[in-house]
Amino acid sequence: MRATTYPDESKRDVARTWHYRGAEFCVADYLRHRYALHFHEQYSIGLVLRGALQFRRGATQHTARCGEVSLINPGEAHSGHAAGGDGWTIRNVLIAPEIVTACREEITHGDAITFECPVNADRRIFDALFRLHRTTELSACEIARESALIGAVTTLVRLSARKNETRKLGSHRAGIRRACDLMRDRFAAPLTLDELADASHVSKHHFLRLFNADIGMTPHAYLVQLRLRAAARLMKSGVCIAEAAIASGFADQSHFTRSFKRTWGVTPRAYARASISASIFQ
């Protein structure tokens, strides 16, 4: 496994990223970097190694300090920055839901799970996740890497997750889901607020209020995130950065680069290089 360091323009924030079996890893030392409000389809799990991370999950602010773990569920809007002036060092991993599903079958019998508490201070979880990072980053042994992944996710689920209760969506929430589905289907094409409101069966003004309350960000911000995720998938498949940006709905390359870094913490170039390394050296 190879990973390369890419300093950003400030020469003070440094991040390194790599991929393994559907999980995306990043280790970063940040002083001024601020993650924009965004979401992932994966579980986002951060280990704070220095300083403290202040982050928003949904509508509330939280702080994860050195030795603690931040936990974000798939689809939850979140942002993050240093809690103090000295910045913070973090190891973060995005874990696909199917990986969690494979590890949770014997624990929760297939029920969907969430991490209810945004911050966890259990040292067993921190240590298991740290071993996962170091093993996938440095080891050439496939058994060691896969065992570390299964062990870390299993520990996380056993000690931190709870089962979801099946709840029927109200009519307004169902409408918002229809609007989200429309954006997922047509993220690279022009969309109007009228179309999204019509899909939700409410007025435009009501739609904007409901969407912000339910998703935690504006429809436009949500659409940008869908485009960024699509571009990331294309780059992982070997498509060049410029083509991936255009195919995902970004007409402005500089806007794409800025948005990508504010969401992923690294530049598109660094992300693409890590994806190529993962395909060669795994």
Side-chain angles (χ1 to χ4, degrees), residues 112-137:
I113 63 171
T114 60
F115 298 117
E116 187 171 12
C117 183
V119 179
N120 192 297
D122 193 316
R123 191 69 197 187
R124 293 169 294 179
I125 294 175
F126 189 98
D127 289 345
L129 289 165
F130 187 81
R131 283 194 298 271
L132 169 63
H133 273 260
R134 296 296 286 171
T135 302
T136 57
E137 182 183 12

mmCIF file of all heavy atoms in Angstrom, residues 112-137:
data_model
loop_
_atom_site.group_PDB
_atom_site.id
_atom_site.type_symbol
_atom_site.label_atom_id
_atom_site.label_comp_id
_atom_site.label_asym_id
_atom_site.label_seq_id
_atom_site.Cartn_x
_atom_site.Cartn_y
_atom_site.Cartn_z
ATOM 1 N N ALA A 112 -31.008 -2.666 10.636
ATOM 2 C CA ALA A 112 -30.235 -1.453 10.353
ATOM 3 C C ALA A 112 -29.756 -0.854 11.671
ATOM 4 O O ALA A 112 -30.416 -0.953 12.697
ATOM 5 C CB ALA A 112 -31.099 -0.449 9.598
ATOM 6 N N ILE A 113 -28.595 -0.223 11.642
ATOM 7 C CA ILE A 113 -28.043 0.357 12.860
ATOM 8 C C ILE A 113 -27.651 1.805 12.626
ATOM 9 O O ILE A 113 -27.426 2.232 11.499
ATOM 10 C CB ILE A 113 -26.818 -0.425 13.369
ATOM 11 C CG1 ILE A 113 -25.678 -0.356 12.331
ATOM 12 C CG2 ILE A 113 -27.175 -1.862 13.701
ATOM 13 C CD1 ILE A 113 -24.374 -0.898 12.832
ATOM 14 N N THR A 114 -27.593 2.555 13.712
ATOM 15 C CA THR A 114 -27.068 3.917 13.675
ATOM 16 C C THR A 114 -26.154 4.099 14.875
ATOM 17 O O THR A 114 -26.226 3.364 15.860
ATOM 18 C CB THR A 114 -28.186 4.982 13.744
ATOM 19 O OG1 THR A 114 -28.920 4.808 14.967
ATOM 20 C CG2 THR A 114 -29.134 4.877 12.565
ATOM 21 N N PHE A 115 -25.280 5.097 14.768
ATOM 22 C CA PHE A 115 -24.477 5.511 15.904
ATOM 23 C C PHE A 115 -25.176 6.719 16.504
ATOM 24 O O PHE A 115 -25.127 7.816 15.962
ATOM 25 C CB PHE A 115 -23.053 5.832 15.459
ATOM 26 C CG PHE A 115 -22.344 4.650 14.871
ATOM 27 C CD1 PHE A 115 -21.934 4.653 13.551
ATOM 28 C CD2 PHE A 115 -22.110 3.520 15.638
ATOM 29 C CE1 PHE A 115 -21.294 3.561 12.991
ATOM 30 C CE2 PHE A 115 -21.474 2.418 15.100
ATOM 31 C CZ PHE A 115 -21.064 2.440 13.773
ATOM 32 N N GLU A 116 -25.842 6.489 17.626
ATOM 33 C CA GLU A 116 -26.676 7.532 18.207
ATOM 34 C C GLU A 116 -25.848 8.652 18.813
ATOM 35 O O GLU A 116 -26.180 9.827 18.691
ATOM 36 C CB GLU A 116 -27.600 6.925 19.269
ATOM 37 C CG GLU A 116 -28.616 7.896 19.821
ATOM 38 C CD GLU A 116 -29.633 7.207 20.704
ATOM 39 O OE1 GLU A 116 -29.418 6.037 21.063
ATOM 40 O OE2 GLU A 116 -30.646 7.844 21.031
ATOM 41 N N CYS A 117 -24.745 8.306 19.472
ATOM 42 C CA CYS A 117 -23.899 9.306 20.123
ATOM 43 C C CYS A 117 -22.836 9.789 19.139
ATOM 44 O O CYS A 117 -22.095 8.968 18.581
ATOM 45 C CB CYS A 117 -23.247 8.711 21.362
ATOM 46 S SG CYS A 117 -22.236 9.887 22.282
ATOM 47 N N PRO A 118 -22.720 11.090 18.897
ATOM 48 C CA PRO A 118 -21.747 11.609 17.930
ATOM 49 C C PRO A 118 -20.293 11.447 18.354
ATOM 50 O O PRO A 118 -19.406 11.467 17.502
ATOM 51 C CB PRO A 118 -22.117 13.094 17.814
ATOM 52 C CG PRO A 118 -23.495 13.206 18.362
ATOM 53 C CD PRO A 118 -23.578 12.158 19.420
ATOM 54 N N VAL A 119 -20.027 11.306 19.664
ATOM 55 C CA VAL A 119 -18.653 11.195 20.162
ATOM 56 C C VAL A 119 -18.561 9.991 21.083
ATOM 57 O O VAL A 119 -19.419 9.799 21.958
ATOM 58 C CB VAL A 119 -18.218 12.465 20.919
ATOM 59 C CG1 VAL A 119 -16.796 12.310 21.456
ATOM 60 C CG2 VAL A 119 -18.317 13.696 20.014
ATOM 61 N N ASN A 120 -17.545 9.170 20.889
ATOM 62 C CA ASN A 120 -17.348 7.998 21.731
ATOM 63 C C ASN A 120 -15.930 8.024 22.287
ATOM 64 O O ASN A 120 -14.965 8.217 21.541
ATOM 65 C CB ASN A 120 -17.582 6.716 20.934
ATOM 66 C CG ASN A 120 -17.673 5.489 21.815
ATOM 67 O OD1 ASN A 120 -16.718 5.131 22.495
ATOM 68 N ND2 ASN A 120 -18.825 4.836 21.812
ATOM 69 N N ALA A 121 -15.805 7.816 23.602
ATOM 70 C CA ALA A 121 -14.500 7.866 24.260
ATOM 71 C C ALA A 121 -13.993 6.482 24.664
ATOM 72 O O ALA A 121 -13.017 6.383 25.413
ATOM 73 C CB ALA A 121 -14.577 8.766 25.492
ATOM 74 N N ASP A 122 -14.634 5.418 24.168
ATOM 75 C CA ASP A 122 -14.238 4.054 24.519
ATOM 76 C C ASP A 122 -12.878 3.745 23.884
ATOM 77 O O ASP A 122 -12.733 3.743 22.664
ATOM 78 C CB ASP A 122 -15.288 3.062 24.031
ATOM 79 C CG ASP A 122 -15.106 1.675 24.626
ATOM 80 O OD1 ASP A 122 -13.952 1.194 24.675
ATOM 81 O OD2 ASP A 122 -16.104 1.066 25.055
ATOM 82 N N ARG A 123 -11.889 3.474 24.705
ATOM 83 C CA ARG A 123 -10.528 3.248 24.217
ATOM 84 C C ARG A 123 -10.438 2.000 23.346
ATOM 85 O O ARG A 123 -9.605 1.907 22.440
ATOM 86 C CB ARG A 123 -9.559 3.135 25.394
ATOM 87 C CG ARG A 123 -8.091 3.170 24.975
ATOM 88 C CD ARG A 123 -7.701 4.549 24.467
ATOM 89 N NE ARG A 123 -6.453 4.524 23.702
ATOM 90 C CZ ARG A 123 -5.832 5.610 23.259
ATOM 91 N NH1 ARG A 123 -6.345 6.797 23.509
ATOM 92 N NH2 ARG A 123 -4.722 5.507 22.581
ATOM 93 N N ARG A 124 -11.301 1.009 23.593
ATOM 94 C CA ARG A 124 -11.269 -0.210 22.791
ATOM 95 C C ARG A 124 -11.623 0.091 21.329
ATOM 96 O O ARG A 124 -11.032 -0.470 20.407
ATOM 97 C CB ARG A 124 -12.237 -1.236 23.377
ATOM 98 C CG ARG A 124 -11.845 -1.770 24.745
ATOM 99 C CD ARG A 124 -12.973 -2.571 25.359
ATOM 100 N NE ARG A 124 -14.132 -1.711 25.658
ATOM 101 C CZ ARG A 124 -15.274 -2.155 26.182
ATOM 102 N NH1 ARG A 124 -15.427 -3.443 26.436
ATOM 103 N NH2 ARG A 124 -16.263 -1.315 26.435
ATOM 104 N N ILE A 125 -12.596 0.985 21.128
ATOM 105 C CA ILE A 125 -12.984 1.379 19.776
ATOM 106 C C ILE A 125 -11.860 2.160 19.112
ATOM 107 O O ILE A 125 -11.493 1.903 17.967
ATOM 108 C CB ILE A 125 -14.280 2.210 19.814
ATOM 109 C CG1 ILE A 125 -15.442 1.334 20.288
ATOM 110 C CG2 ILE A 125 -14.581 2.818 18.458
ATOM 111 C CD1 ILE A 125 -16.739 2.093 20.476
ATOM 112 N N PHE A 126 -11.308 3.118 19.840
ATOM 113 C CA PHE A 126 -10.213 3.927 19.303
ATOM 114 C C PHE A 126 -9.047 3.037 18.888
ATOM 115 O O PHE A 126 -8.507 3.188 17.775
ATOM 116 C CB PHE A 126 -9.762 4.944 20.350
ATOM 117 C CG PHE A 126 -8.780 5.962 19.830
ATOM 118 C CD1 PHE A 126 -9.208 7.223 19.433
ATOM 119 C CD2 PHE A 126 -7.418 5.672 19.744
ATOM 120 C CE1 PHE A 126 -8.308 8.163 18.952
ATOM 121 C CE2 PHE A 126 -6.512 6.598 19.265
ATOM 122 C CZ PHE A 126 -6.959 7.854 18.870
ATOM 123 N N ASP A 127 -8.648 2.112 19.750
ATOM 124 C CA ASP A 127 -7.490 1.271 19.458
ATOM 125 C C ASP A 127 -7.741 0.367 18.253
ATOM 126 O O ASP A 127 -6.853 0.169 17.411
ATOM 127 C CB ASP A 127 -7.132 0.423 20.677
ATOM 128 C CG ASP A 127 -6.532 1.250 21.810
ATOM 129 O OD1 ASP A 127 -6.140 2.408 21.550
ATOM 130 O OD2 ASP A 127 -6.472 0.752 22.941
ATOM 131 N N ALA A 128 -8.952 -0.203 18.164
ATOM 132 C CA ALA A 128 -9.271 -1.088 17.040
ATOM 133 C C ALA A 128 -9.242 -0.326 15.721
ATOM 134 O O ALA A 128 -8.734 -0.818 14.703
ATOM 135 C CB ALA A 128 -10.635 -1.737 17.255
ATOM 136 N N LEU A 129 -9.774 0.881 15.731
ATOM 137 C CA LEU A 129 -9.789 1.688 14.514
ATOM 138 C C LEU A 129 -8.395 2.180 14.154
ATOM 139 O O LEU A 129 -8.036 2.272 12.973
ATOM 140 C CB LEU A 129 -10.742 2.867 14.685
ATOM 141 C CG LEU A 129 -12.233 2.506 14.701
ATOM 142 C CD1 LEU A 129 -13.064 3.667 15.233
ATOM 143 C CD2 LEU A 129 -12.703 2.123 13.295
ATOM 144 N N PHE A 130 -7.591 2.500 15.165
ATOM 145 C CA PHE A 130 -6.213 2.924 14.891
ATOM 146 C C PHE A 130 -5.421 1.775 14.262
ATOM 147 O O PHE A 130 -4.654 1.980 13.323
ATOM 148 C CB PHE A 130 -5.542 3.402 16.175
ATOM 149 C CG PHE A 130 -4.180 4.009 15.943
ATOM 150 C CD1 PHE A 130 -4.066 5.328 15.519
ATOM 151 C CD2 PHE A 130 -3.030 3.266 16.132
ATOM 152 C CE1 PHE A 130 -2.810 5.888 15.288
ATOM 153 C CE2 PHE A 130 -1.782 3.818 15.910
ATOM 154 C CZ PHE A 130 -1.676 5.146 15.485
ATOM 155 N N ARG A 131 -5.623 0.555 14.771
ATOM 156 C CA ARG A 131 -4.949 -0.609 14.176
ATOM 157 C C ARG A 131 -5.389 -0.799 12.726
ATOM 158 O O ARG A 131 -4.581 -1.151 11.857
ATOM 159 C CB ARG A 131 -5.255 -1.868 14.988
ATOM 160 C CG ARG A 131 -4.482 -1.982 16.297
ATOM 161 C CD ARG A 131 -4.572 -3.381 16.867
ATOM 162 N NE ARG A 131 -5.950 -3.747 17.190
ATOM 163 C CZ ARG A 131 -6.532 -3.504 18.366
ATOM 164 N NH1 ARG A 131 -5.848 -2.887 19.326
ATOM 165 N NH2 ARG A 131 -7.767 -3.872 18.589
ATOM 166 N N LEU A 132 -6.667 -0.564 12.473
ATOM 167 C CA LEU A 132 -7.171 -0.679 11.107
ATOM 168 C C LEU A 132 -6.457 0.303 10.183
ATOM 169 O O LEU A 132 -6.011 -0.065 9.086
ATOM 170 C CB LEU A 132 -8.682 -0.422 11.088
ATOM 171 C CG LEU A 132 -9.319 -0.239 9.708
ATOM 172 C CD1 LEU A 132 -9.165 -1.507 8.873
ATOM 173 C CD2 LEU A 132 -10.796 0.138 9.859
ATOM 174 N N HIS A 133 -6.344 1.550 10.618
ATOM 175 C CA HIS A 133 -5.654 2.555 9.818
ATOM 176 C C HIS A 133 -4.219 2.135 9.516
ATOM 177 O O HIS A 133 -3.780 2.140 8.361
ATOM 178 C CB HIS A 133 -5.645 3.892 10.563
ATOM 179 C CG HIS A 133 -6.850 4.724 10.320
ATOM 180 N ND1 HIS A 133 -6.863 5.779 9.438
ATOM 181 C CD2 HIS A 133 -8.101 4.659 10.848
ATOM 182 C CE1 HIS A 133 -8.065 6.342 9.437
ATOM 183 N NE2 HIS A 133 -8.827 5.682 10.282
ATOM 184 N N ARG A 134 -3.486 1.789 10.553
ATOM 185 C CA ARG A 134 -2.067 1.500 10.371
ATOM 186 C C ARG A 134 -1.859 0.226 9.547
ATOM 187 O O ARG A 134 -0.931 0.147 8.739
ATOM 188 C CB ARG A 134 -1.389 1.359 11.733
ATOM 189 C CG ARG A 134 -1.400 2.641 12.553
ATOM 190 C CD ARG A 134 -0.590 3.735 11.887
ATOM 191 N NE ARG A 134 0.844 3.502 11.999
ATOM 192 C CZ ARG A 134 1.775 4.205 11.358
ATOM 193 N NH1 ARG A 134 1.420 5.165 10.525
ATOM 194 N NH2 ARG A 134 3.054 3.944 11.543
ATOM 195 N N THR A 135 -2.715 -0.760 9.734
ATOM 196 C CA THR A 135 -2.545 -2.012 9.002
ATOM 197 C C THR A 135 -2.844 -1.832 7.524
ATOM 198 O O THR A 135 -2.078 -2.294 6.667
ATOM 199 C CB THR A 135 -3.461 -3.099 9.594
ATOM 200 O OG1 THR A 135 -3.165 -3.274 10.985
ATOM 201 C CG2 THR A 135 -3.247 -4.430 8.889
ATOM 202 N N THR A 136 -3.952 -1.165 7.191
ATOM 203 C CA THR A 136 -4.271 -0.968 5.774
ATOM 204 C C THR A 136 -3.289 -0.013 5.108
ATOM 205 O O THR A 136 -3.059 -0.099 3.899
ATOM 206 C CB THR A 136 -5.698 -0.423 5.599
ATOM 207 O OG1 THR A 136 -5.852 0.812 6.334
ATOM 208 C CG2 THR A 136 -6.725 -1.424 6.092
ATOM 209 N N GLU A 137 -2.699 0.874 5.886
ATOM 210 C CA GLU A 137 -1.757 1.849 5.345
ATOM 211 C C GLU A 137 -0.391 1.236 5.075
ATOM 212 O O GLU A 137 0.258 1.561 4.061
ATOM 213 C CB GLU A 137 -1.618 3.010 6.318
ATOM 214 C CG GLU A 137 -0.698 4.121 5.868
ATOM 215 C CD GLU A 137 -0.548 5.214 6.921
ATOM 216 O OE1 GLU A 137 -0.977 4.992 8.075
ATOM 217 O OE2 GLU A 137 0.004 6.264 6.580
#
